[in-house]
Amino acid sequence: MREELSRIVTQAEEAIAGAQTVETVEELRIRYLGKKGVLTRVLRGMGSLPPAERPLVGKLANEIKVRLEADLAARISVLKEKEKERKLAAEKLDVTLPGTRPFLGSVHPLTAVRTEIEDIFLGLGFQIVEGPEVEHEYYNFEALNFPRDHPARDMQDTFFVSDEVLLRTHTSPVQVRTFEKTAPEVPVKIIAPGKVYREDDDATHSPMFNQIEGFAVDTRITLGDLKGVLHSFVRQLYGEKTRMRFRASFFPFTEPSAEVDISCVICGGHGCRVCSHTGWLEILGAGMIHPRVLEVSGYDTEKVSGFAFGMGIERIAMLKYGVDNIRLFFDNDLRFLQQF
Ligand code: FA5
């Protein structure tokens, strides 16, 4: 029986060493060590052995089992390693192929326009300041020379939070907040970008939109300075050939007041659908700061004067990119945003 066992070991080890796949090794495990395997079958014949020999043969059988298990495991790991090498050898890496571009997102068109406007005014010596969006009635209206119950307050349909607290309807309150801190010091040259709110809603008006306020106070500031600064601004934003004109207008906090038009950026002033065939596009409101506004904050208007202007960022962006509905800026539709 010992001879038979040693013959089985030799045979099994040869077969294992020759196995070329993991599956074959598994088959061999079943054939030699399985419940109906060769080893079990041989051991069943132990009954015919003299009793003294039985434990010895049993021990030997156990050793063989352990040895074959080890052989099987070793063969499997060799085969797996070979398989890995084979796969690696088959794989080709072409380092000249173009990579896959990660999706990085892009700057929102309103942010891009705001940054561009800010950069132009920073270049003209202005500083950036921000004010609160939830504002007191005093800063939004009263100090800006909108008298209580005056119809001028209706120019801007207001969202009230309480009797005297509201969502600011424009960025002009930042003028007053700034003057309270700076007066009587000059010069002051500030731009104030930010969100504002009005009860408006159509293709070119949104209940929330963005404005940029600009203002300067110094000795001997004139309407000429305002024109110079604004003309420099529109030429940098829309190109050297852009013309600009002032149209008399009214704001309670400026005197005189003007609405500022530029030659149509689409047709160059010849007349088209965008400019309603006038050749001009309105882009902002402006004027010389009303003496009352300077005085309530502590400026001596015998000594100093100032100009101010305010523009809607969405309007500038719509003209710049040819967007005809203001909603598109706020829908967050990637198909729209990815174009910028
Ligand atoms: C003002 O808000 C003044 N504070 C501007 C100003 C500042 C004048 C300093 C003089 C001195 P107005 O109400 O015209 O003015 O608004 C300014 C700009 O905001 C408009 O030209 C327009 O481009 C934009 N705008 C107004 N309402 C909306 C709205 N609902 N949605 C989008 N843009 C708007």
Side-chain angles (χ1 to χ4, degrees):
M1 187 162 230
R2 280 173 196 251
E3 273 154 36
E4 198 179 353
L5 283 173
S6 91
R7 197 169 46 73
I8 289 170
V9 172
T10 318
Q11 215 180 52
E13 285 191 328
E14 253 170 41
I16 292 169
Q20 290 307 317
T21 67
V22 173
E23 290 72 37
T24 319
V25 179
E26 289 305 330
E27 279 165 26
L28 289 174
R29 182 195 304 282
I30 295 166
R31 183 181 322 155
Y32 285 97
L33 302 178
K35 270 186 194 145
K36 292 175 188 162
V38 180
L39 197 61
T40 319
R41 232 185 301 132
V42 173
L43 291 177
R44 262 197 216 114
M46 273 212 307
S48 60
L49 291 176
E53 267 200 42
R54 284 180 205 163
L56 295 176
V57 173
K59 188 166 167 253
L60 182 61
N62 237 335
E63 281 165 9
I64 289 171
K65 200 175 163 205
V66 172
R67 178 165 158 189
L68 289 184
E69 291 278 13
D71 289 342
L72 289 163
R75 187 62 193 160
I76 282 180
S77 83
V78 167
L79 287 174
K80 283 194 171 154
E81 198 54 40
K82 271 194 185 162
E83 175 71 6
K84 240 192 257 171
E85 276 165 22
R86 199 183 53 73
K87 269 194 187 154
L88 267 180
E91 260 174 33
K92 277 198 194 101
L93 180 64
D94 183 351
V95 292
T96 65
L97 280 177
T100 38
R101 233 173 241 286
F103 179 63
L104 285 179
S106 54
V107 177
H108 193 281
L110 292 180
T111 309
V113 168
R114 171 179 159 163
T115 309
E116 195 180 345
I117 296 172
E118 284 174 355
D119 285 346
I120 293 173
F121 283 108
L122 288 172
L124 292 170
F126 285 71
Q127 283 179 304
I128 302 176
V129 161
E130 288 188 18
E133 290 170 30
V134 180
E135 186 55 284
H136 198 279
E137 180 272 335
Y138 173 79
Y139 292 102
N140 197 82
F141 290 127
E142 186 91 23
L144 288 169
N145 199 32
F146 286 80
R148 219 168 254 287
D149 302 321
H150 190 280
R153 292 198 186 198
D154 298 340
M155 283 167 71
Q156 304 172 354
D157 280 320
T158 311
F159 292 112
F160 278 91
V161 175
S162 67
D163 266 3
E164 293 183 339
V165 178
L166 44 77
L167 300 183
R168 66 177 177 187
T169 59
H170 53 175
T171 42
S172 299
V174 183
Q175 291 185 36
V176 184
R177 287 186 173 273
T178 305
F179 298 153
E180 281 183 349
K181 291 191 196 115
T182 53
E185 298 299 322
V186 285
V188 175
K189 278 175 93 179
I190 301 281
I191 55 164
K195 293 191 180 74
V196 302
Y197 303 83
R198 292 183 198 180
E199 226 174 300
D200 275 349
D201 206 357
D202 61 39
T204 54
H205 295 81
S206 152
M208 185 282 295
F209 61 104
N210 292 271
Q211 285 190 338
I212 292 191
E213 192 83 3
F215 49 96
V217 180
D218 203 350
T219 51
R220 303 205 335 241
I221 287 226
T222 67
L223 194 67
D225 294 314
L226 174 62
K227 277 195 153 179
V229 164
L230 289 179
H231 202 192
S232 169
F233 164 66
V234 298
R235 281 200 311 244
Q236 287 185 63
L237 191 66
Y238 289 112
E240 283 301 317
K241 294 211 176 100
T242 317
R243 284 167 295 133
M244 180 185 85
R245 74 175 183 188
F246 274 39
R247 250 182 318 108
S249 185
F250 171 78
F251 298 102
F253 40 91
T254 47
E255 180 58 35
S257 302
E259 258 159 348
V260 178
D261 298 339
I262 55 166
S263 48
C264 180
V265 293
I266 309 294
C267 64
H270 301 295
C272 68
R273 200 177 53 85
V274 174
C275 60
S276 309
H277 304 283
T278 63
W280 295 97
L281 295 167
E282 182 201 318
I283 60 153
L284 54 87
M288 298 305 290
I289 301 174
H290 198 293
R292 284 240 190 89
V293 177
L294 291 170
E295 279 158 12
V296 290
S297 310
Y299 275 112
D300 178 353
T301 51
E302 293 294 321
K303 292 188 181 135
V304 303
S305 56
F307 65 68
F309 55 86
M311 66 190 95
I313 298 181
E314 285 77 5
R315 170 134 181 94
I316 306 260
M318 287 170 86
L319 292 176
K320 189 174 164 76
Y321 297 122
V323 174
D324 60 6
N325 193 318
I326 197 168
R327 290 262 151 242
L328 291 166
F329 290 125
F330 307 115
D331 284 345
N332 284 334
D333 185 333
L334 286 182
R335 289 168 303 176
F336 173 73
L337 295 175
Q338 275 168 345
Q339 298 174 46
F340 300 96

